[in-house]
Amino acid sequence: MRRIAFINEKGGTCKTTLAVNTAAWLAREKGLRVLLVDLDTQGHAGKVLGVDVRTLPRNVFHLLTDEAVRLGDVVQRSAVEGLDVLPAYKEMADFPVVVAGDARRAHRLADRLRAAEDAGYDAIVFDAPPSMGLTTRNILVASTEVVVPVALTYLALDGCAEVADTVRQVGEAEGRPELRVTKVVPTLYRKTALATAILERLKAYFPDALAATPLGYDVKVDEAQSHGKTIWEYAPKSRGARMLAAIAAELHGGPAPRKKGRTPKVA
């Protein structure tokens, strides 16, 4: 099972936009059963999919901290066929404190998501918080690959290099040599001299991982999110939809036969 994490310790890099729409594209275009896992206290991944995360009695925090809570108690269906979301909210801020005494605190997420494969999911997509603390370490331990969205702004390259170094360190410490940055996705792209210069530096640093399509600004993407929809539900013919589809296809690795649909049985 592929487990794709969207990670950058800097905020405002379009992590949630890419995570949600990539997960939706995998479900819509490839017929995969996808679980989108939100670990950010803002709960934006759930909100973007139309889930009122503020009123849910349980979310990912309760799954991670209460053995009595099962995956099926927390997972929410989305309007996109084949795409479910494991929502988060403000309680996740307390996660590092609650599990501080647990020797396996960095493995909580991986341990609790073992039920996802039995439930029939083909892929898990993680939306990480903008930090490199315990929550993000849990995501790295639970992932098979990392995608780094990089806003084309000053100091962006330094932040991206730091994420790549952290991924390498966690992989070595946890005995996960296969864990690596598979894609670096430029975001907030505008045709400026600075953006072009940063792109060239990214190409030099990540010649095999840099995504061919940068994510530029399109108001339709923001509008879709404000309506609790993916770009394909809201504006499927928009420029934003074309960019996000191209990025998702590259992350997927090229065309693949559409799988027959099946309903996952969440444990």
Side-chain angles (χ1 to χ4, degrees), residues 148-202:
V148 185
V150 183
L152 296 179
T153 56
Y154 186 61
L155 294 181
L157 185 60
D158 288 342
C160 185
E162 290 172 5
V163 173
D165 189 50
T166 298
V167 171
R168 179 187 57 77
Q169 291 175 9
V170 172
E172 292 176 354
E174 300 294 343
R176 300 279 309 286
E178 75 282 2
L179 180 65
R180 67 191 190 284
V181 173
T182 55
K183 284 295 175 186
V184 174
V185 181
T187 64
L188 303 181
Y189 174 70
R190 295 178 298 168
K191 292 183 178 180
T192 65
L194 177 60
T196 300
I198 296 172
L199 268 178
E200 290 303 314
R201 292 179 68 191
L202 285 171

Side-chain angles (χ1 to χ4, degrees), residues 49-102:
L49 290 174
V51 178
D52 187 355
V53 299
R54 298 168 297 178
T55 61
L56 296 176
R58 289 177 295 237
N59 56 44
V60 70
F61 170 79
H62 302 92
L63 179 69
L64 294 176
T65 59
D66 186 347
E67 294 293 332
V69 177
R70 299 183 303 169
L71 185 63
D73 297 330
V74 186
V75 165
Q76 301 289 314
R77 303 290 186 189
S78 80
V80 179
E81 183 179 356
L83 175 60
D84 295 339
V85 59
L86 184 53
Y89 200 42
K90 294 181 179 179
E91 295 90 342
M92 274 304 297
D94 296 328
F95 173 68
V97 176
V98 173
V99 302
D102 183 2

Side-chain angles (χ1 to χ4, degrees), residues 85-167:
V85 59
L86 184 53
Y89 200 42
K90 294 181 179 179
E91 295 90 342
M92 274 304 297
D94 296 328
F95 173 68
V97 176
V98 173
V99 302
D102 183 2
R104 286 185 59 80
R105 56 188 174 273
H107 295 256
R108 283 288 184 105
L109 183 61
D111 291 345
R112 298 316 310 272
L113 288 180
R114 287 174 182 165
E117 195 161 359
D118 294 336
Y121 291 106
D122 301 300
I124 301 177
V125 175
F126 298 97
D127 184 21
S131 71
M132 296 303 290
L134 179 61
T135 298
T136 298
R137 190 177 184 92
N138 265 263
I139 295 172
L140 289 173
V141 171
S143 301
T144 57
E145 57 195 280
V146 175
V147 176
V148 185
V150 183
L152 296 179
T153 56
Y154 186 61
L155 294 181
L157 185 60
D158 288 342
C160 185
E162 290 172 5
V163 173
D165 189 50
T166 298
V167 171

